[in-house]
Amino acid sequence: MSPVFVIGHRNPDTDSICSAICYADLKRKLTGEEYIACRAGHVNAETQFVLEHFGVEPPRYIASFEPRLSDVQYREVAGIDSEMSLRRAWDYMNENDIQTLAVVDEDRHLNGLLTLSDIARFYMEDQDANALAEAKTSYRNLVDVLDGTLVNGELEQPFEQGRVVVAAANPDVLEDYIAPNDMVILGNRYESQLCAIEMNAGCIIIGLGAKVSRTIRKLASENGVSIIATPLDTYTCAKVISQAVPVRHVMRRKGLITFEPEENVEDVKRTVSKKRIRYYPLLDEQGRYIGMFSQRNLLDLERPNVILVDHNERDQAAEGIRSTNIVEIIDHHRIDSVETSGPIYFRNQPLGCTATIITQMYHEKNIEIEPKIAGLLCSAILSDTLMFRSPTCTPLDRMAAEELAKIAGLNIREYASEMFRSSSRLRDRSMDELFHMDFKYFQVQDRKIAISQITSVSEDELSGIRDKMLEYMESCLKTSGLSMQFAMLTNIIEEKTELLYVGKGAQELVRMAFKKECGEHSVVLPGVVSRKKQMVTPLLGAMEEEAGL
């Protein structure tokens, strides 16, 4: 069974990361199958502190679920050498049930492509008697396709001059047909063999399994004539000899369409849909051949199974979420716009933290919570509820955190203070990093806004970044595609937020939402510490009121 990816939202906070890790652990213990904890963004300082405290590696980073060619089940068919005969290339195609072969050099760099159609076209078209010489066909290939033996000559030497002549006439007539350097196909008649050597043929092919006399071998050697002995009759020799041509003579070199593993599957589909080509070579970053994929491989691509934790909004989900098969959602936020292809297990409870829900599920399934998992779950609850100060905190959150703290051996007050301090040192970070450390998008009709939250236990830290943050928000608003931007500077200890805002109509919107006189770009909101319950609801309500909804 393919693995299931358990992942939180973009710009993940401690709840998003810890819930993904712990829910993947629970699912593995329940099913015995593979569940992989993932993240859709970088780990912030607070979450890094938590993971290091409990000795847990950060989850796998997935920038996008948009399928890449590396996700496609391509054929790992080895490339062939350009000197391989068409006969052997044909056999290789049949053995691997593939109609296109990559022709590569010794370093696996692509030299050309050979298709079944190329072989058929060459074989069916009228080839003149000079075809073998034009292709500089090696005697090794000739001996191979004729199932013969090289009695005289060099295997690696190419046949470069002359025509192919079938010596069907009497010896006294052959003199009119054989020219110097020709390749002569004949039978066991001594006179014909002698005539071909006397006419300075380049090679004679003696068929019917006839023995080559010592005299003919001696004369051929003296006159530089190669001899191939074969058990085939004259007709069969004439029929198969063109199969000795090396693939380089037939392969396509120009206009080759190649792809790399990291290319987006949808982009590739658009490209190949306009072509009448069945197979395409896959090359690595150094241009080395990896394998071959077909248009059918693109259509048969399996969608990854995904479980969303701590979010259910498309805008908050990892890139390419539409390309996945969502099988579960565990969340504590409002229900929004994620769509699924069928009914799924969706658990949404009005609690302060997703980790509280997952703690309940451990108990419901009678799965013991080990200390490390308990520590992660407890950390998530303390973070999301701001150590029980947030109005989103419920008695169930507090009860779960206290129980988990005992299992993990934590003193809640001391540990939470240390955890919150780890995310401080705001002045050491760029405004871009701080703004995007914990922010979410929200939309009402065609108006889209972003709300960032920056928390600290120090009022000096928050006031120290205020002006720089406003300057940053103003500078990036025009290119953000947003109507307005908001930043909550939240003091956890004093339980208050200074709300910064930029954008046309932002001041009036905040005044309408909080029924409070506001400055041009900021307002202090005592008691406001929760974005979900105390910020999003009034702001979106005011936006809906303005829109007449």
Side-chain angles (χ1 to χ4, degrees), residues 480-499:
S480 67
L482 301 170
S483 301
M484 308 172 195
Q485 288 182 333
F486 299 85
M488 299 172 62
L489 306 185
T490 302
N491 187 314
I492 299 172
I493 302 300
E494 297 185 14
E495 298 186 42
K496 70 174 184 177
T497 289
E498 181 178 9
L499 180 63

Side-chain angles (χ1 to χ4, degrees), residues 442-451 483-484 486 509 512-513 536-549:
F442 302 92
Q443 187 162 350
V444 173
Q445 290 190 329
D446 60 345
R447 299 174 73 191
K448 189 175 182 180
I449 66 173
I451 306 176
S483 301
M484 308 172 195
F486 299 85
L509 184 70
M512 185 185 305
V536 173
T537 300
L539 279 180
L540 295 191
M543 290 174 69
E544 291 171 354
E545 185 178 339
E546 283 187 339
L549 300 179

Side-chain angles (χ1 to χ4, degrees), residues 8-13 15-16 19 308-313 316 329-337 346-355 357 384-385 392 438-442 453 530-533 536-537:
H9 50 76
R10 302 180 203 176
N11 307 294
D13 56 11
D15 185 24
S16 178
S19 289
L308 303 183
V309 295
D310 198 33
H311 72 299
N312 69 86
E313 299 179 55
Q316 299 300 328
I329 299 176
I330 311 296
D331 191 22
H332 69 124
H333 296 95
R334 68 186 185 122
I335 298 174
D336 197 74
S337 55
F346 189 152
R347 183 158 178 167
N348 185 283
Q349 292 179 245
L351 297 172
C353 184
T354 303
I357 303 174
D384 251 25
T385 66
T392 60
D438 182 13
F439 86 115
K440 292 185 178 180
Y441 294 111
F442 302 92
Q453 184 168 25
S530 168
R531 174 173 52 198
K532 180 176 72 173
K533 196 164 185 176
V536 173
T537 300

